[in-house]
RNA sequence: GUGGUUGUAGCUCAGUUGGUUAGAGCGCCUGGUUGUGGCCCAGGAGGUCGGGGGUUCAAAUCCCCUCAAUCACCCCA
């Protein structure tokens, strides 16, 4: 019903779906450390300037998608719309500025005030990595390899890796001029957004999807050829290393990406069957400026959207993870039996087996139905008769058989059957 | 932020040109078995028809507004 809805663009994740999330999170915690990356946690909000300066004032994210508010001290704070700026803000206090490499990954919610659509939420979740402090084509290539390793780990196949270079800050002006000159001639035929972008951010015109703009964009100058020889060499090396690693990619000359901090290598992984928002993950090399600092933090990283990874897994019909240990249900007939069962349930749990004991005065039939509903493999039944005899009835739900056991034997009875299952 | 589509039971959905007490399947509860689940049978609970206003003798149905979901634009993970 409508009144149980959370705010637009946010979702509740119920326990039934949590294993799917754990699979993504556990896999990240498994794969990234293999490359020397450690988990890092930064605040979910930052000073607004961290994002304004870090992502670029002209970006759409900063201009119209941030959740910004003033705290009681009058500080302007913003719910993080992405992960890199906060991580880099924290790392800037370390010796990354002296060329010492830091390898970190993070996991958590991000916030963007957009209109929700398929694969787009206002609170969404990312897993990302940052390699900060050093620059080398090898690092970029390994970062991409690590992303693909992660996707492989979580069973996502059939994705496409798109690759491009944004050049350095010094490379941009000549290329920008060429683009501005070229698009300037036909700007009247292009969409309103592009008209605006011509002066504000010409690069964004390159990935405009409007049909009338596409015709003009197709014949646009090849900006990469205008970049410096060093920049072109850097990109060629990244490609060459990827070739050697056996990683397939597509060069996407119009891949620009929406954050201003990118330089050199940029990449995106797309997947069919995600709808209009088809990017599973994206990233690249960056030079990120923090407020009050003249020197940028350099690094390379990526972020993947957990909701989109889930969508891809669903499109691939990946089987959900299974519970390894089947639960036990304790049927109790009468208050005395139920209290004894609570004690026994505690012992069973301490043996590592999930146990649920009935707490209400319900019929045998109702209690067994409940056991069936939670897919209990074993049921322990106790009533006055059993209490008098000093035993419990242990029932194997799959076999349909049952036997009488002293309470102290119950765990010993179950364990071998459980181990056999796993 | 702009547009399209959709809102009826916990879930998936019927509901005729406006017509009397709003239905089905699944799920849930109880019984058929004095203390034995799944299958079957019988019964039962559960609905401000998203919300508000309007038209009408009469609105789930028509009109307006609003909220929400969803998809697309846009943006990006």
């Amino acid at each position: 019903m409508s009144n149980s809805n959370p705010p637009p663009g946010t979702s509740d994740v119920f326990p039934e779906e949590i294993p799917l999330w754990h699979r993504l999170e556990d896999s990240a915690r498994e794969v990234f450390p293999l490359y020397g990356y450690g988990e890092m946690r930064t605040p979910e909000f930052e000073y607004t300037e961290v994002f304004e300066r870090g992502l670029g004032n002209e970006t759409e994210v900063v201009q119209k998608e941030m959740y910004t508010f003033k705290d009681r001290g009058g500080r302007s704070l913003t719910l993080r719309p992405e992960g890199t700026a906060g991580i880099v803000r924290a790392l800037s206090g370390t010796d990354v500025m002296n060329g010492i490499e830091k390898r970190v990954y993070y996991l958590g919610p991000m916030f963007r005030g957009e209109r929700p659509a398929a694969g787009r939420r206002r609170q969404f979740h990312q897993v990302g990595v940052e390699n900060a402090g050093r620059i080398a084509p090898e690092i970029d290539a390994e970062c991409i390899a690590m992303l693909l390793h992660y996707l492989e780990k979580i069973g996502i196949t059939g994705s496409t890796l798109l690759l491009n270079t944004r050049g350095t800050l010094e490379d941009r002006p000549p290329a920008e001029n060429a683009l501005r000159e070229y698009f300037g001639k036909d700007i009247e035929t292009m969409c309103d957004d592009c008209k605006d972008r011509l002066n504000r951010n010409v690069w964004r015109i390159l990935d405009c999807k409007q049909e009338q703009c596409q015709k003009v964009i197709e014949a646009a100058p090849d900006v990469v050829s205008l970049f410096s020889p060093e920049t072109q060499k850097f990109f060629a090396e990244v490609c060459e290393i990827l070739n050697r690693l056996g990683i397939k990619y597509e060069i996407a000359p119009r891949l620009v990406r929406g954050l201003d901090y990118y330089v050199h290598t940029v990449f995106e992984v797309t997947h069919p069957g995600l709808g209009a928002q088809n990017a599973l993950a994206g990233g690249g090399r960056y030079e990120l400026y923090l407020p009050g600092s003249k020197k940028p933090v350099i690094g390379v990283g990526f972020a993947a959207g957990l909701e989109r990874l889930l969508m891809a897994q669903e499109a691939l019909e990946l089987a959900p993870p299974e519970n390894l240990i089947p639960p036990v249900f304790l049927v109790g007939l009468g208050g005395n039996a139920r209290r004894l069962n609570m004690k026994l349930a505690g012992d069973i749990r301490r043996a590592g087996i999930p146990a649920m004991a009935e707490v209400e005065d319900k019929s045998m039939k109702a209690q067994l139905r409940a056991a069936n509903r939670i897919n209990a493999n074993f049921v322990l039944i106790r009533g006055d008769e059993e209490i008098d005899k000093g035993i419990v009835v242990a029932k194997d739900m799959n076999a349909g058989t049952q036997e009488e056991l002293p309470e102290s034997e119950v765990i010993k009875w179950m364990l071998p059957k459980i181990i056999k299952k796993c």
Side-chain angles (χ1 to χ4, degrees):
Chain A
M1 291 273 48
S2 61
N3 61 3
S4 70
N5 282 331
T10 65
S11 334
D12 302 310
V13 181
F14 282 85
E16 297 74 39
E17 307 160 73
I18 281 291
L20 296 169
W21 288 79
H22 282 342
R23 176 161 59 187
L24 298 182
E25 293 157 2
D26 294 347
S27 299
R29 294 190 166 107
E30 199 174 322
V31 171
F32 302 142
L34 297 173
Y35 294 76
Y37 287 70
E39 182 171 344
M40 179 154 179
R41 302 185 187 188
T42 62
E44 283 166 31
F45 54 85
E46 295 277 349
Y47 289 119
T48 302
E49 310 90 80
V50 170
F51 301 117
E52 286 177 342
R53 186 90 208 283
L55 314 194
N57 253 319
E58 296 304 313
T59 59
E60 329 266 337
V61 170
V62 169
Q63 290 217 327
K64 43 191 194 193
E65 296 175 2
M66 297 206 302
Y67 281 103
T68 297
F69 59 97
K70 282 229 183 347
D71 74 359
R72 293 178 182 223
R75 287 171 280 258
S76 180
L77 302 173
T78 295
L79 260 30
R80 62 181 183 192
E82 57 96 63
T84 303
I87 294 280
V88 162
R89 191 263 313 138
L91 293 180
S92 72
T94 71
D95 48 14
V96 277
M97 301 309 278
N98 299 322
I100 302 300
E101 188 188 79
K102 296 285 179 199
R103 299 183 172 209
V104 303
Y105 71 92
Y106 59 88
L107 221 40
M110 307 293 164
F111 308 86
R112 257 123 97 157
E114 305 175 273
R115 188 80 165 263
R120 195 173 68 192
R121 321 252 64 210
R122 289 183 175 175
Q123 175 177 334
F124 60 103
H125 300 79
Q126 289 188 329
V127 51
V129 312
E130 307 296 346
N131 181 311
R134 292 208 294 173
I135 173 166
E138 284 82 355
I139 301 177
D140 296 24
E142 189 178 78
C143 185
I144 291 169
M146 183 166 64
L147 168 57
L148 298 183
H149 184 167
Y150 176 63
L151 295 178
E152 179 189 319
K153 179 79 191 172
I154 58 178
I156 292 178
T157 55
S159 56
T160 303
L161 170 64
L162 303 173
L163 204 60
N164 194 21
T165 177
R166 292 293 331 271
T168 64
L169 262 30
E170 296 73 42
D171 291 325
R172 303 267 177 85
E176 255 176 56
N177 289 337
L179 287 177
R180 207 168 275 131
E181 190 185 331
Y182 171 79
F183 287 123
K185 288 181 306 188
D186 295 311
I187 195 66
E188 285 313 315
T189 70
M190 304 180 83
C191 73
D192 289 346
D193 281 329
C194 284
K195 288 189 180 102
D196 181 47
R197 290 194 268 237
L198 182 66
N199 290 313
R200 208 160 54 81
N201 193 348
V202 244
W203 300 91
R204 305 282 310 144
I205 296 182
L206 288 174
D207 58 12
C208 182
K209 287 166 203 107
Q210 298 294 318
E211 209 178 315
Q212 75 259 36
C213 302
Q214 273 301 322
K215 278 183 276 182
V216 184
I217 294 162
E218 273 170 31
D222 170 20
V223 285
V224 175
S225 68
L226 300 173
F227 292 163
S228 73
E230 292 75 22
T231 297
Q232 294 189 47
K233 178 164 176 276
F234 188 93
F235 187 53
E237 285 187 52
V238 172
C239 294
E240 199 259 328
I241 298 164
L242 290 176
N243 290 340
R244 295 253 221 127
L245 293 175
I247 290 170
K248 298 254 190 328
Y249 56 87
E250 281 176 26
I251 302 287
R254 38 145 290 269
L255 178 65
V256 172
R257 306 198 51 73
L259 277 10
D260 283 356
Y261 53 55
Y262 288 114
V263 294
H264 285 297
T265 322
V266 290
F267 55 92
E268 203 166 282
V269 174
T270 63
H271 197 273
L274 284 203
Q277 273 68 235
N278 67 347
L280 276 180
R285 177 155 285 283
Y286 50 80
E287 288 179 3
L288 196 150
Y289 286 86
L290 269 347
S293 171
K294 293 198 183 86
K295 199 178 157 196
V297 175
I298 64 167
V300 59
F302 65 77
L306 297 190
E307 285 83 354
R308 292 188 189 177
L309 296 175
L310 255 16
M311 287 169 75
Q313 287 182 324
E314 200 184 334
L316 291 165
E317 292 176 3
L318 199 72
E322 277 178 53
N323 282 343
L324 287 179
I325 306 175
V328 177
F329 190 93
L330 290 86
V331 169
L333 301 162
N336 201 8
R338 287 198 300 275
R339 277 159 188 79
L340 289 168
N341 279 353
M342 286 181 73
K343 173 74 170 64
L344 177 56
D347 294 341
I348 293 170
R349 290 167 184 142
R350 279 173 182 78
I353 302 165
M356 294 284 292
E358 178 56 56
V359 295
E360 268 187 284
D361 190 22
K362 289 196 179 164
S363 70
M364 174 80 121
K365 186 187 180 113
Q367 295 194 41
L368 279 168
R369 257 202 295 264
N372 205 54
R373 191 162 39 239
I374 65 165
N375 272 315
N377 274 226
F378 307 107
V379 169
L380 302 174
I381 301 166
R382 171 147 54 188
D384 291 339
E385 282 177 37
E386 286 75 16
I387 294 172
D388 288 346
K389 290 158 76 176
I391 51 111
V392 299
V393 172
K395 176 167 173 135
D396 182 322
M397 292 292 270
N398 298 322
T401 57
Q402 63 186 49
E403 51 193 293
E404 298 188 345
L405 297 172
E407 182 171 334
S408 57
E409 298 295 308
V410 162
I411 293 171
K412 252 184 281 176
W413 174 80
M414 286 187 297
L415 273 176
K417 299 176 196 271
I418 289 167
I419 289 161
K420 217 171 95 189
K421 258 189 96 74
C422 305

